[in-house]
Amino acid sequence: MRVLLALTLLVLGMPALADNYQRLYQAAGWPEQRAHFNDALHAAQKRYQGNLPPALYQALVDNSNRRFAAADIDQRALSSLRQNLPDSTSALTFFESPLGHKVATAETFATRSDQLLKYANGLPRQQASEARHQLVQRLGKVLPAREAGAEVSLALASVAADSLSQMLPGLLGGGQAQGMLEGQRQKLMGQIGADLDNTLLYVYRGLDDAELGQFTAFSESPAGRDYYRAALAALRAGLSVSSDGQ
């Protein structure tokens, strides 16, 4: 009887456990960020329209829409989050708190298409106290901003390359393509890192010093580090970009 009761509780508890990941996915702003990525994807597609033959352009649109279908991105990312974050409790508690909501709102606002267009030539320089600078420097060591920015940029840039490779198989050998991809990844990470402090100051400008300190403390905690490691893996899975660039 005890074994039966234990199995029953386990089965009943599994949907609740799974739902925590769904709640975390929602609370941390993943669906909004995915929607903003798809907006950027459609803008990238339009930039190629006047420069490619109709057949190649249509292949580009079809390939990228298939690869980056919204439901598929969500499914891959959420599955990866479940796999790589054994305990979602602390991260969920943070992102469902008023401060966590404020953080997620700031991050999703910064990636809206109108904001990206507005600051396409660079963000305004942020004035901040030395204490605030120190907080964002600490954040920059924990948040995978360089890596995430590079993966998103590479995913968008790969749209044309994927279509060209499909129409002209063997144009780039696997080793050559891999080397170019990794070189571009490192270049992008360097560019993002060069202005990371100012970017973080801008994105989180709506947080006061105490809130920024609390956010930094969560990010540096074991639970925060676990979440951001899992989040980067989930981003790569969602975009079908693995940690080794495959």
Side-chain angles (χ1 to χ4, degrees):
M1 180 62 71
R2 289 179 180 177
V3 173
L4 179 60
L5 178 60
L7 289 174
T8 302
L9 290 174
L10 177 61
V11 171
L12 290 175
M14 287 177 66
L17 180 64
D19 187 61
N20 279 349
Y21 289 92
Q22 288 275 5
R23 287 166 56 193
L24 174 58
Y25 196 77
Q26 294 284 338
W30 284 79
E32 291 84 357
Q33 295 287 21
R34 185 259 304 144
H36 294 170
F37 172 81
N38 284 116
D39 289 342
L41 172 65
H42 295 150
Q45 290 174 342
K46 290 183 181 299
R47 288 195 294 271
Y48 288 112
Q49 187 169 13
N51 301 315
L52 294 175
L56 182 55
Y57 175 70
Q58 191 58 51
L60 179 152
V61 172
D62 292 343
N63 288 346
S64 54
N65 285 348
R66 182 166 52 251
R67 176 181 173 186
F68 298 121
D72 291 342
I73 290 178
D74 284 343
Q75 182 179 25
R76 292 192 297 262
L78 185 54
S79 177
S80 176
L81 193 64
R82 294 184 198 277
Q83 180 180 353
N84 291 288
L85 185 65
D87 185 358
S88 63
T89 305
S90 295
L92 178 62
T93 298
F94 174 78
F95 281 106
E96 286 191 338
S97 70
L99 175 57
H101 176 72
K102 197 169 183 178
V103 167
T105 298
E107 292 170 347
T108 55
F109 179 80
T111 58
R112 278 178 15 183
S113 57
D114 61 331
Q115 295 300 301
L116 296 178
L117 181 62
K118 182 177 181 179
Y119 297 113
N121 294 321
L123 294 170
R125 303 309 300 177
Q126 302 297 300
Q127 301 299 317
S129 66
E130 180 60 28
R132 198 168 178 86
H133 272 287
Q134 290 177 3
L135 286 172
V136 298
Q137 287 170 1
R138 288 165 54 189
L139 267 179
K141 294 177 181 178
V142 181
L143 303 185
R146 300 176 185 83
E147 296 86 349
E151 298 306 331
V152 169
S153 297
L154 286 172
L156 293 171
S158 72
V159 168
D162 286 350
S163 300
L164 188 59
S165 295
Q166 178 177 319
M167 296 192 72
L168 300 172
L171 180 65
L172 289 176
Q176 183 181 359
Q178 176 63 30
M180 292 175 62
L181 180 66
E182 187 55 35
Q184 187 64 15
R185 176 181 282 110
Q186 295 302 319
K187 180 179 179 181
L188 287 166
M189 287 173 59
Q191 291 173 346
I192 295 168
D195 199 39
L196 184 57
D197 287 359
N198 189 64
T199 300
L200 296 179
L201 284 171
Y202 173 77
V203 172
Y204 302 115
R205 65 194 182 280
L207 275 63
D208 63 31
D209 288 355
E211 291 171 329
L212 189 62
Q214 293 171 38
F215 174 38
T216 301
F218 163 73
S219 301
E220 292 178 330
S221 71
R225 291 178 183 274
D226 286 347
Y227 169 73
Y228 284 112
R229 278 193 293 267
L232 180 58
L235 172 67
R236 285 172 168 154
L239 299 179
S240 296
V241 180
S242 68
S243 60
D244 61 0
Q246 295 295 329

